[in-house]
Amino acid sequence: MSTILVTGGAGFIGANFVYYLLENHPEDRVVCVDSLTYAGNLSTLRAALADSRFAFYRQDIRDRAGIEAVFQKEKPDAVVNFAAESHVDRSIDAPEIFLQTNILGAQVMMDACLAHGNVRFHQVSTDEVYGDLPLDRPDLLFREDTPLHASSPYSASKAAADLLVQAYCRTYGLAATISRCSNNYGPYQFPEKFIPLLIANCLSDKPLPIYGKGLNVRDWLYVADHCKAVDLILRRGRIGQVYNIGGHNEMRNIDIARLICRALDKPESLITYVTDRKGHDLRYAIDPEKIHTELGWSPETAFADGIRRTVDWYLANRPWWEEILSGEYRDYYRKMYDDR
Ligand code: NAD
Ligand code: TDX
């Protein structure tokens, strides 16, 4: 039996990963460390908390002594670092916390891994570290050797963490891997992100804010496919390597908005163009050839199925996101979107 420590497991992808491990690896224990920021939600882990193979610690990854105590108690065999400040718009507004959590927090986790006999470490990174691609060059894709060229404080902090992981591999021999995934969607995504924001606003007949002209392109992947890829890299990936994760599913923002309107039988007149995001990346597109050939990974969820499942999940789990909308998020929404 192995013990896998998942940081950020009360957030969107981390929680999906916790459930992926519990379902697919009955031989493993899963320990979650999460400080429950505005983006963390313990109710997401309710079913996991009822499982004797799962343990939860409300713990900040920047806190060395606290992380050391968790390592001493749980003796993890592997760490998967999802914990991060993850919203680009918030990073433009207030970058400091992104640098602290995304860079220094990752360092604390790596130091703990080294101090406990070189525990296997996986860093969950993002395609945003590569910057963006032009809209008129569909032949260009992000490969693992594409230079890092971050645009926002968020993506710069993730790129800095990636460089630090690679430095720890080379200098200290840390047994680490990095994955860089494209945009995820699916259950438990915090409603500040594009797809759940569109669904929640549609269901309340509120305007759907589209930055700029809505022509920016994102490469969408269903969250379960990301989880499977991370699990494969953790178990079979080559130490010191970077793996891109994506499913060749590029969509313009405006087309996503129209699709959500159709799925919920709402008029497209809800679509409202608002002031663009500063430094807004034009296009992301992943080349997943390496993980496909080395580890046999391919996405299993077609976008039409994934989006249907996601819409159905938000319809069936209104209390989960309505509670978020009624809390401090309301002030964030006003600040970000009123008079935009
Ligand atoms: P999220 O914002 O939904 O969740 C982040 C979680 O981390 C929350 O539960 C939060 O409480 C926790 N956290 C934040 N700061 C912490 C700290 N200092 N100590 C402990 N816990 C802390 O994020 P997400 O969308 O699930 O993203 C997870 C990871 O995947 C991030 O590293 C992100 O960069 C990466 N990623 C996300 C996407 C995407 O489309 N969402 C795509 C590629 C990569
Ligand atoms: O209200 C909105 N209107 C809008 O047009 C919001 C919130 C977003 N957008 C646009 C901006 C992007 O082009 O939609 C696109 C997607 O936006 P986000 O959901 O904020 O995602 P993005 O900025 O692409 O970053 C996401 O993918 C990579 C995650 O938030 C990151 O954590 C991940 O690393």
Side-chain angles (χ1 to χ4, degrees):
M1 179 189 260
S2 296
T3 297
I4 301 178
L5 194 160
V6 177
T7 72
F12 164 45
I13 310 174
N16 277 281
F17 187 69
V18 163
Y19 286 117
Y20 183 90
L21 289 177
L22 291 173
E23 273 163 40
N24 291 281
H25 296 285
E27 73 285 7
D28 289 343
R29 282 192 76 234
V30 181
V31 174
C32 173
V33 161
D34 196 300
S35 61
L36 299 180
T37 68
Y38 79 93
N41 196 332
L42 202 51
S43 76
T44 301
L45 293 173
R46 195 174 293 130
L49 287 162
D51 191 320
S52 60
R53 292 179 298 127
F54 180 75
F56 178 82
Y57 292 83
R58 182 169 193 174
Q59 174 62 55
D60 196 311
I61 62 166
R62 294 171 296 169
D63 168 10
R64 280 184 187 276
I67 292 298
E68 173 60 23
V70 174
F71 267 66
Q72 281 186 14
K73 181 143 191 289
E74 297 290 350
K75 302 189 173 21
D77 299 291
V79 171
V80 183
N81 188 34
F82 288 95
E85 289 293 333
S86 70
H87 192 37
V88 173
D89 291 326
R90 288 186 193 249
S91 84
I92 294 166
D93 203 40
E96 177 86 23
I97 185 71
F98 286 74
L99 277 57
Q100 289 181 2
T101 288
N102 299 1
I103 307 170
L104 298 177
Q107 187 205 8
V108 167
M109 296 310 300
M110 290 191 281
D111 284 341
C113 286
L114 284 175
H116 288 261
N118 204 358
V119 171
R120 176 79 172 83
F121 180 79
H122 180 74
Q123 171 71 1
V124 179
S125 185
T126 167
D127 60 356
E128 297 197 15
V129 298
Y130 298 120
D132 62 355
L133 296 163
L135 293 175
D136 59 356
R137 287 290 307 274
D139 55 310
L140 295 181
L141 303 172
F142 294 138
R143 294 161 40 93
E144 286 80 358
D145 56 5
T146 301
L148 302 190
H149 198 267
S151 311
S152 70
Y154 161 70
S155 50
S157 70
K158 295 295 289 187
D162 284 12
L163 292 176
L164 201 59
V165 173
Q166 288 174 323
Y168 267 58
C169 279
R170 170 142 176 184
T171 303
Y172 307 117
L174 179 70
T177 43
I178 297 172
S179 56
R180 296 181 181 143
C181 189
S182 58
N183 285 60
N184 284 214
Y185 68 101
Y188 300 115
Q189 187 165 28
F190 195 86
E192 68 189 349
K193 302 288 169 58
F194 190 50
I195 288 182
L197 184 145
L198 294 177
I199 296 172
N201 282 19
C202 259
L203 290 173
S204 321
D205 296 305
K206 280 173 62 176
L208 309 181
I210 304 297
Y211 298 165
K213 296 190 167 79
L215 301 179
N216 303 60
V217 169
R218 297 293 183 264
D219 187 356
W220 294 97
L221 184 73
Y222 192 63
V223 62
D225 284 325
H226 184 186
C227 292
K228 185 169 188 179
V230 169
D231 188 48
L232 274 173
I233 297 165
L234 185 67
R235 287 160 208 273
R236 304 213 332 257
R238 283 185 295 139
I239 297 303
Q241 293 290 308
V242 175
Y243 293 89
N244 281 352
I245 308 171
H248 290 298
N249 185 48
E250 292 179 54
M251 307 268 299
R252 298 187 312 178
N253 292 340
I254 184 64
D255 297 325
I256 298 268
R258 290 187 179 128
L259 192 147
I260 301 280
C261 287
R262 274 200 303 280
L264 289 167
D265 201 19
K266 296 289 180 179
E268 286 187 13
S269 56
L270 286 177
I271 292 174
T272 308
Y273 294 95
V274 301
T275 306
D276 209 350
R277 173 185 279 174
K278 287 187 184 127
H280 196 174
D281 280 336
L282 292 173
R283 171 177 167 251
Y284 303 144
I286 280 280
D287 180 350
E289 188 56 30
K290 179 174 174 179
I291 189 168
H292 178 66
T293 48
E294 275 191 25
L295 303 178
W297 178 88
S298 295
E300 292 168 16
T301 312
F303 188 69
D305 295 338
I307 207 78
R308 189 67 256 169
R309 258 188 252 170
T310 304
V311 167
D312 288 347
W313 187 86
Y314 281 87
L315 282 168
N317 291 275
R318 282 186 92 115
W320 184 88
W321 54 270
E322 279 177 349
E323 194 180 323
I324 293 170
L325 297 195
S326 67
E328 66 184 271
Y329 179 73
R330 235 189 331 204
D331 299 331
Y332 164 84
Y333 195 91
R334 277 200 206 106
K335 188 173 162 208
M336 198 57 87
Y337 293 98
D338 277 6
D339 306 319
R340 184 166 182 154

